[in-house]
Amino acid sequence: MFLRDQQRWIERARILDIEGDLVTVRYETEEDDEVCSWEEMLRLESIGSVMQKLATVPRGDVEPLVSEDCPEAERIRNHQPDNE
């Protein structure tokens, strides 16, 4: 989540509540030898962007997984019967 008025990113923020134009988020930061947990109330107008990583693909000469190689739990099922 990018806060344009503060010019900073909040990584892995979880939206807890939206009330009017206020958004309550919770996130963690790592500083030296400690992990800090934060809860912050933000105005909708200050949020410039929300980003989520959807996938990662390795670089180089690596053969990507195809549907037959995917774990069963991650496969997309065809709900329509085959018309053959």
Side-chain angles (χ1 to χ4, degrees):
M1 177 179 297
F2 182 72
L3 304 179
R4 62 178 160 206
D5 59 342
Q6 298 176 29
Q7 294 295 299
R8 70 179 172 111
W9 281 96
I10 297 176
E11 295 184 19
R12 296 183 303 267
R14 181 176 180 172
I15 297 173
L16 301 177
D17 188 37
I18 300 175
E19 188 173 326
D21 70 336
L22 290 177
V23 179
T24 304
V25 297
R26 182 174 291 159
Y27 60 96
E28 292 182 351
T29 59
E30 294 182 27
E31 298 172 7
D32 298 325
D33 61 343
E34 62 185 16
V35 176
C36 300
S37 183
W38 302 89
E39 190 168 297
E40 196 168 339
M41 293 177 75
L42 309 165
R43 295 223 178 264
L44 274 174
E45 63 193 32
S46 71
I47 299 172
S49 174
V50 176
M51 179 177 62
Q52 180 177 1
K53 184 189 292 188
L54 299 177
T56 303
V57 178
R59 292 183 188 203
D61 191 21
V62 177
E63 181 138 351
L65 293 175
V66 293
S67 62
E68 292 81 27
D69 297 333
C70 289
E72 182 68 31
E74 295 179 10
R75 292 187 186 174
I76 297 174
R77 289 165 182 61
N78 185 359
H79 296 288
Q80 299 175 354
D82 292 333
N83 294 332
E84 293 183 51

